[in-house]
Amino acid sequence: MRRLDLAHGILYPQATATCLYALLDQDDDQDWTITYSSAGHPPPLLVTHEGDTHYLRGGRGLLLGVDPTLPRHHATEKLPARSTLLMYTDGLIERRGEDLTHGMTRLRQHAAALAREDLDTFCDELLAGMATDHADDIALLVARTPTKSQ
């Protein structure tokens, strides 16, 4: 992330941007983890198969282009079997004139209700439930961990 911040400062010296950098990894015991770093990007949402949800708030930092001299941090979290990891752009949760926390709460509620759906249905229904008539872009990146083999 630090290298990206330095490159951003050279290429776009007057601009800022958000970024979420994430690596999913499976260990020898078939457990999955995510290691991630965020530069002002909305936090990933973890949805368990049972419908429990929480935002991954570690590894947070300033937007790219604010101060490339500051250190960048990362976090690592274990992902439960059959859990869904949702990464998204702010267009999914932002509403004009509404506090961002309302959109984040709405996202958790919609995602929890869809926890056991297949990924195509999960994404389609999430977009249908969260979409508005504004022109901001929306992008989703979703991953689901498999059932752990015995």
Side-chain angles (χ1 to χ4, degrees):
M1 187 71 82
R2 176 153 169 67
R3 289 181 187 158
L4 181 59
D5 204 11
L6 290 170
H8 183 272
I10 292 167
L11 297 170
Y12 307 102
Q14 302 303 317
T16 59
T18 69
C19 179
L20 177 68
Y21 182 82
L23 296 170
L24 297 178
D25 188 41
Q26 185 180 27
D27 65 20
D28 292 338
D29 294 326
Q30 298 184 15
D31 290 322
W32 285 88
T33 58
I34 179 174
T35 301
Y36 62 99
S37 181
S38 175
H41 199 76
L45 179 64
L46 182 64
V47 184
T48 68
H49 184 71
E50 294 74 26
D52 296 324
T53 63
H54 75 274
Y55 286 103
L56 306 183
R57 297 197 181 269
R60 309 241 356 117
L62 294 174
L63 282 75
L64 297 175
V66 172
D67 187 348
T69 65
L70 292 178
R72 291 289 178 177
H73 303 285
H74 70 275
T76 300
E77 294 206 27
K78 185 176 176 181
L79 302 175
R82 302 186 302 166
S83 62
T84 304
L85 180 65
L86 172 63
M87 295 163 278
Y88 53 93
T89 56
D90 59 359
L92 185 66
I93 57 174
E94 285 184 338
R95 301 293 176 272
R96 189 169 293 155
E98 179 183 82
D99 187 88
L100 193 59
T101 57
H102 294 300
M104 294 177 75
T105 299
R106 193 170 36 254
L107 177 59
R108 286 181 67 182
Q109 292 168 342
H110 280 292
L114 299 167
R116 295 182 182 212
E117 299 291 342
D118 64 79
L119 288 183
D120 285 338
T121 303
F122 180 91
C123 291
D124 289 345
E125 293 296 321
L126 194 64
L127 286 170
M130 295 291 295
T132 65
D133 56 357
H134 67 81
D136 199 359
D137 64 318
I138 297 174
L140 302 178
L141 182 60
V142 181
R144 181 166 289 158
T145 57
T147 302
K148 189 172 177 178
S149 300
Q150 300 298 333

